[in-house]
Amino acid sequence: MSKEAELRKINTEIKVSINEASFISNSCRNKLIKMLGKTYDINLPVEDFARIDVELLDNGNINMRGDEYSRDMELSFEEVLVRYEEFKSQADEMLKRRGKKAFPNSEKNNIINLFIVFILGTFFVLLAIFGIKSFFAGRYTDCIWLLFIVFSWLIPSVRERFQQAFQYIKRKLK
């Protein structure tokens, strides 16, 4: 295989790895880019852009977002290939480890939010029943619980939890 074809194949594999890391999280993508820079002894800046293009050059330099980051000493193409194999094995291991999470953080947070909403909803229903029964029984001081329920909806965090839970369920049912 020619040098250019081998380099094109490597750059395609790097892009695939970065895209895969981006699906896991931005921090995973940034760690992967740092790992690539460390492998080639280049200090790559890690920025939170929506899309980052990284291209390995045949002398061991890295082209990222149109800027070329160079090494102190150029590498031979064979050294570039050896270092790439080292990077590839580390990247695959990291992506496999990170991709194994049963529930990603956002998914886990949504499930916890659903649980909290269920508990709050049950609590509000019980308080509403108690408040309505107190009103019909003439115990107006106990009706304060009914007012507690009504005014709790004015607190943004409670209302937002219910909205987030509703949006999560709506997304999952699509």
Side-chain angles (χ1 to χ4, degrees):
M1 192 182 294
S2 72
K3 188 176 176 180
E4 291 82 22
E6 185 75 25
L7 200 57
R8 201 173 315 119
K9 179 183 169 217
I10 287 172
N11 285 325
T12 302
E13 289 175 2
I14 289 173
K15 287 178 185 178
V16 167
S17 296
I18 289 174
N19 285 337
E20 189 176 331
S22 294
F23 283 122
I24 295 172
S25 70
N26 274 349
S27 67
C28 182
R29 178 194 68 183
N30 293 344
K31 284 182 184 180
L32 190 71
I33 292 171
K34 281 182 185 178
M35 187 186 306
L36 179 66
K38 186 178 177 184
T39 303
Y40 288 96
D41 302 323
I42 298 174
N43 188 16
L44 292 175
V46 179
E47 301 158 345
D48 283 330
F49 290 110
R51 188 168 166 255
I52 294 181
D53 289 332
V54 177
E55 182 181 2
L56 183 62
L57 303 176
D58 61 349
N59 59 1
N61 294 342
I62 296 176
N63 195 0
M64 186 167 89
R65 296 196 54 81
D67 297 330
E68 185 173 332
Y69 297 94
S70 57
R71 302 174 32 82
D72 294 333
M73 294 177 38
E74 290 187 3
L75 296 174
S76 68
F77 190 67
E78 290 76 29
E79 289 176 306
V80 170
L81 293 177
V82 169
R83 288 186 183 215
Y84 172 71
E85 290 301 322
E86 176 187 324
F87 163 76
K88 185 178 177 183
S89 66
Q90 290 174 352
D92 288 343
E93 182 181 319
M94 183 182 82
L95 290 174
K96 192 182 297 180
R97 188 176 59 242
R98 287 286 189 102
K100 274 187 175 179
K101 287 186 177 179
F103 295 109
N105 283 342
S106 62
E107 200 68 26
K108 184 172 57 172
N109 291 341
N110 283 324
I111 291 171
I112 290 170
N113 189 40
L114 280 175
F115 181 70
I116 291 171
V117 164
F118 176 74
I119 290 173
L120 284 176
T122 304
F123 182 68
F124 286 157
V125 168
L126 292 175
L127 284 179
I129 292 170
F130 179 72
I132 292 171
K133 282 184 178 180
S134 297
F135 180 75
F136 287 126
R139 296 183 313 238
Y140 299 114
T141 55
D142 290 341
C143 291
I144 294 173
W145 294 111
L146 191 58
L147 291 174
F148 172 73
I149 294 170
V150 171
F151 288 120
S152 68
W153 286 103
L154 298 176
I155 300 171
S157 62
V158 173
R159 190 174 48 237
E160 286 174 13
R161 278 200 184 273
F162 278 90
Q163 288 172 346
Q164 288 173 355
F166 177 73
Q167 291 298 325
Y168 174 71
I169 292 170
K170 192 174 166 184
R171 269 195 322 265
K172 285 299 180 182
L173 292 178
K174 279 187 178 180

